[in-house]
Amino acid sequence: MSEPIPLFPGTRVDPARFADAQHRRFTGMRLRIGRSGIAHRVAWVPWLDELTLPAPACHQGWSGLGAAGEITPADGPVTCRKCLRLGGEPDDPAQHPLFALPEPH
């Protein structure tokens, strides 16, 4: 009997080396998700064992581990409104709200 042909042949990745490479790429940087122009603050989230991977500090959703370019390092300032607020910084005036909120009474 023959072996089945794998539909998605993959290469094995050493988790420790991958996490280390991500740390080198994102330490001291901000990150962008996909093609977005928004720069997020980097948070380090648990992955496997004691290893961590970068993620948006504001918990913005995205898919993947960063290995296929889902997130990229950015060296400009943080422009995500939620990341700025979480860091106690004023909003970026260049990022406009999606809709106007009612004024408090």
Side-chain angles (χ1 to χ4, degrees), residues 7-97:
L7 293 176
F8 303 104
T11 56
R12 296 208 180 250
V13 175
D14 176 3
R17 287 182 57 192
F18 177 71
D20 185 54
Q22 292 296 81
H23 275 267
R24 285 194 310 272
R25 286 185 73 205
F26 286 93
T27 297
M29 303 293 280
R30 268 64 54 216
L31 67 80
R32 294 186 193 280
I33 300 171
R35 295 181 183 166
S36 173
I38 303 299
H40 297 270
R41 189 178 318 279
V42 174
W44 297 97
V45 297
W47 182 39
L48 298 172
D49 297 327
E50 301 296 317
L51 302 174
T52 58
L53 291 179
C58 64
H59 304 288
Q60 171 64 46
W62 60 285
S63 178
L65 298 173
E70 304 91 351
I71 58 173
T72 54
D75 60 358
V78 173
T79 57
C80 168
R81 294 179 89 172
K82 190 170 180 185
C83 285
L84 288 168
R85 286 182 185 159
L86 290 170
E89 300 175 53
D91 286 348
D92 178 5
Q95 187 177 1
H96 303 288

